[in-house]
Amino acid sequence: MWEPVIGLEIHAELSTSTKIFCGCSTEFGAEPNTLVCPVCSGMPGVLPRLNEAVAVYAVRLGLLLNCSINPNSVFDRKNYIYPDLPKSYQISQLYTPVCTDGKLEITSGGKTKIITIREIHIEEDAGKLIHDPLSGNTLMDFNRCGIPLVEIVTNPDFETAGEVAEFLENLKEILMYADICDCKMQEGSIRADINLSIRQKGGELGVRTEMKNLNSFKAIGRAVESETKRQTEIIESGGKITQETRRWDDNKQKSFSMRSKENANDYRYFPEPDMQPLIISDDMINGIKNTLPELGTQKRERYEKDWHIAKNDAEIITSHKNIATVFEELSEKSGSPSESANLITGEIMRLMNTHSIRPENLKVNCDKLSYLIKLEHSGKINGNSYKKTVAAVFKDNVEPDDYIMKHGLLMNSDNDAVSRAVKKVLSDNSVAADDYRNGKEKAFGFLMGAVMKELRGSGNPEIIRKSLTEILSNGDGRI
Ligand code: ADP
Ligand code: ZN
Ligand code: MG
């Protein structure tokens, strides 16, 4: 029985506002080649200078992944020629990475397991090549050159695609909550390469291939399955696996050989002569330790324990940091975490879905929404009007009071108005009224709805219920 063995190499772009060795902006999506300078476009004679935030983020991640922090790490020059690399070398860390020997716990298929992390090193990103199918030309955009990256390298500890996905989910959550990386897979902020070999259960490690171009968790699952099958077929038919880099094509659901795998000596690595060693003092480490942000797991615990939020809801809320931030602000401003949680897991999620808004782009006015939570809670508006006004605030950022007035949404608790509406509905719907009197419970709901409609959705459900029950049992309203 052949089983896969998998190790990951994950590149994460750091959320610094400027590049790793120069002051150019790291903004995504700018006009090509507008965020470049002599340093990041590789002009001769320029000198790199390390952005301190890069070291801080790398150490923060190292601490969160239980790594040892190297007090004295060194940069190395990795040489290769490719059109997206104007300097023809990349500054990286080969021999003494900034963090080593970490671990992260995962739970997959009901089993808890520790994945060990070999190292985290710092390096710079390369540019981007854009193949233009119309002209047949390849265009170069150097804006991404010099964006800071960390590369997280795990040991070959994974046995299933499920474990890989779970690890990436956990890692992504840490990167996002610690503000280290925005984790936008669609913008390439986080990229995972999969190293995979197969072996007989418990046997020696086999020759591995490396797969690139995996841009969703689903693609990763499919790639693991397909590569395991491909290698098994080769070995079972007497063949040998070649160590190589392969490109996953998710549309074709197949991987294709890109190049034979380079070894470190192909890159002629040598200590980067333009860089000083990176010295990380105990003071710096302690400073970073003392300001570690609250992570998703800690937030879930706190929401459940202190705020009595259901586990499921706490998971939905912490599925993205932005949502958790909105939730905390709403809870604080409205004074009611449970109603804030209901609003987010209900209406807000529904509205995000309807308007195709990604969590990272979620923007709501928490002052207005918390005001609405209070209005509903105090009985000034009913559930219907609450939802309508929430939607209007969400979509058009309306002023709640104006909107409520304009649409007549204040709860109608005027007993006379309600009983007039009840009488009208009963006379218009005598069949339903008789059905109810003859024991058809369901007819009551229908009549409630009709009265609410008569009051343009703003009736007080309790008063309607009372009035309807009273009038029906008095035999009133019968024609
Ligand atoms: P290289 O120096 O060629 O990049 P590394 O030793 O750095 O190779 O390993 C790169 C990645 O490959 C790591 O994530 C590691 O866990 C994984 N890996 C190494 N050997 C194997 C193997 N036999 N099967 C699966 N993954 C492996
Ligand atoms: Zn620059
Ligand atoms: Mg490597």
Side-chain angles (χ1 to χ4, degrees):
M1 182 58 191
W2 296 98
E3 60 169 28
V5 179
I6 305 159
L8 298 180
E9 290 166 289
I10 301 131
H11 286 92
E13 283 186 359
L14 301 179
S15 306
T16 56
S17 51
T18 55
K19 293 188 180 180
I20 183 167
F21 300 124
C22 62
C24 291
S25 161
T26 55
E27 185 195 321
F28 180 83
E31 273 291 294
N33 302 309
T34 54
L35 306 177
V36 286
C37 73
V39 174
C40 58
S41 61
M43 296 294 147
V46 292
L47 288 174
R49 210 177 121 193
L50 184 67
N51 177 347
E52 190 184 351
V54 171
V56 172
Y57 284 174
V59 171
R60 192 186 288 167
L61 181 60
L63 292 172
L64 291 170
L65 295 179
N66 303 293
C67 292
S68 317
I69 310 296
N70 195 336
N72 197 337
S73 73
V74 175
F75 290 93
D76 299 292
R77 189 177 286 196
K78 178 180 183 180
N79 299 280
Y80 65 94
I81 292 185
Y82 204 65
D84 64 6
L85 190 73
K87 286 199 294 216
S88 288
Y89 64 84
Q90 180 190 27
I91 301 182
S92 179
Q93 297 190 303
L94 177 69
Y95 302 104
T96 48
V98 61
C99 310
T100 50
D101 296 328
K103 57 178 195 281
L104 181 62
E105 193 181 274
I106 58 166
T107 305
S108 169
K111 253 184 23 199
T112 298
K113 174 170 179 176
I114 304 255
I115 300 298
T116 58
I117 291 156
R118 194 179 74 193
E119 66 176 68
I120 302 172
H121 62 255
I122 296 171
E123 60 187 31
E124 57 182 325
D125 211 346
K128 215 168 163 177
L129 297 180
I130 302 145
H131 304 287
D132 178 11
L134 278 183
S135 64
N137 292 332
T138 295
L139 308 167
M140 293 183 295
D141 178 5
F142 289 162
N143 284 352
R144 208 177 64 183
C145 289
I147 301 246
L149 294 174
V150 283
E151 180 174 342
I152 303 146
V153 185
T154 77
N155 287 313
D157 289 346
F158 299 93
E159 290 157 299
T160 63
E163 288 177 1
V164 171
E166 180 66 20
F167 177 88
L168 290 172
E169 281 289 358
N170 290 0
L171 177 67
K172 233 175 100 175
E173 187 175 281
I174 292 173
L175 289 167
M176 181 167 71
Y177 276 91
D179 287 326
I180 295 169
C181 168
D182 63 23
C183 297
K184 294 183 189 168
M185 255 186 159
Q186 73 281 9
E187 292 181 8
S189 315
I190 177 162
R191 316 189 284 267
D193 299 339
I194 291 192
N195 295 274
L196 187 149
S197 62
I198 57 167
R199 65 172 171 192
Q200 289 290 342
K201 213 166 177 49
E204 293 274 294
L205 284 182
V207 175
R208 74 181 192 274
T209 60
E210 181 184 0
M211 259 188 302
K212 291 191 176 291
N213 195 35
L214 295 145
N215 40 27
S216 75
F217 285 8
K218 286 214 175 86
I220 289 170
R222 291 190 278 263
V224 165
E225 204 171 294
S226 148
E227 182 61 9
T228 308
K229 190 158 161 265
R230 193 188 68 87
Q231 292 189 11
T232 308
E233 279 166 9
I234 292 177
I235 291 182
E236 293 211 317
S237 61
K240 272 206 163 92
I241 307 296
T242 353
Q243 185 169 328
E244 62 181 355
T245 303
R246 300 179 67 84
R247 182 179 58 83
W248 174 252
D249 184 329
D250 202 43
N251 292 324
K252 300 205 172 83
Q253 305 247 335
K254 260 179 94 159
S255 66
F256 297 90
S257 178
M258 275 168 84
R259 52 176 189 255
S260 67
K261 171 91 178 115
E262 313 77 0
N263 287 312
N265 54 6
D266 294 322
Y267 290 113
R268 299 296 186 269
Y269 274 98
F270 57 83
E272 171 55 53
D274 291 340
M275 294 287 295
Q276 300 276 354
L278 171 58
I279 294 171
I280 293 167
S281 65
D282 285 347
D283 278 356
M284 179 170 165
I285 294 177
N286 288 332
I288 294 172
K289 252 186 206 158
N290 293 335
T291 52
L292 285 179
E294 188 183 30
L295 298 182
T297 11
Q298 294 161 326
K299 283 192 188 291
R300 280 190 288 279
E301 255 179 54
R302 179 162 65 86
Y303 297 167
E304 283 175 49
K305 206 169 133 257
D306 297 355
W307 286 353
H308 311 291
I309 304 296
K311 188 169 191 267
N312 208 15
D313 288 349
E315 265 161 24
I316 296 174
I317 292 166
T318 53
S319 63
H320 195 281
K321 187 177 182 183
N322 245 358
I323 298 178
T325 307
V326 167
F327 167 66
E328 290 181 17
E329 193 181 339
L330 270 183
S331 300
E332 200 171 297
K333 291 188 164 149
S334 69
S336 172
S338 71
E339 283 167 43
S340 304
N342 285 342
L343 179 59
I344 288 188
T345 56
E347 283 309 284
I348 299 291
M349 285 292 171
R350 194 183 60 74
L351 288 162
M352 284 170 68
N353 234 333
T354 317
H355 301 286
S356 309
I357 293 175
R358 286 179 185 280
E360 63 258 33
N361 300 325
L362 174 67
K363 274 207 183 71
V364 290
N365 186 316
C366 290
D367 288 321
K368 292 179 183 173
L369 291 184
S370 58
Y371 175 67
L372 288 174
I373 291 179
K374 288 189 205 157
L375 276 192
E376 199 233 11
H377 188 77
S378 63
K380 297 229 166 55
I381 52 175
N382 68 16
N384 278 331
S385 309
Y386 174 60
K387 283 184 191 167
K388 266 192 205 161
T389 319
V390 163
V393 167
F394 185 90
K395 201 164 148 275
D396 303 318
N397 196 25
V398 298
E399 279 306 324
D401 283 340
D402 295 352
Y403 187 85
I404 289 168
M405 284 306 154
K406 196 168 145 210
H407 294 84
L409 297 177
L410 263 194
M411 182 123 82
N412 197 335
S413 301
D414 171 350
N415 286 325
D416 289 344
V418 173
S419 68
R420 269 199 307 278
V422 167
K423 283 179 186 159
K424 177 163 188 304
V425 164
L426 290 182
S427 77
D428 289 352
N429 298 279
S430 53
V431 176
D434 282 340
D435 280 352
Y436 176 73
R437 289 193 188 93
N438 295 330
K440 230 174 127 188
E441 294 281 328
K442 262 199 197 151
F444 194 80
F446 168 78
L447 293 169
M448 280 280 300
V451 178
M452 187 60 99
K453 206 164 153 205
E454 186 65 28
L455 294 165
R456 292 171 58 218
S458 62
N460 180 328
E462 271 325 295
I463 297 183
I464 297 177
R465 181 183 307 280
K466 231 175 101 206
S467 165
L468 198 53
T469 318
E470 228 172 73
I471 295 176
L472 275 168
S473 64
N474 285 342
D476 210 341
R478 201 192 284 265
I479 298 170

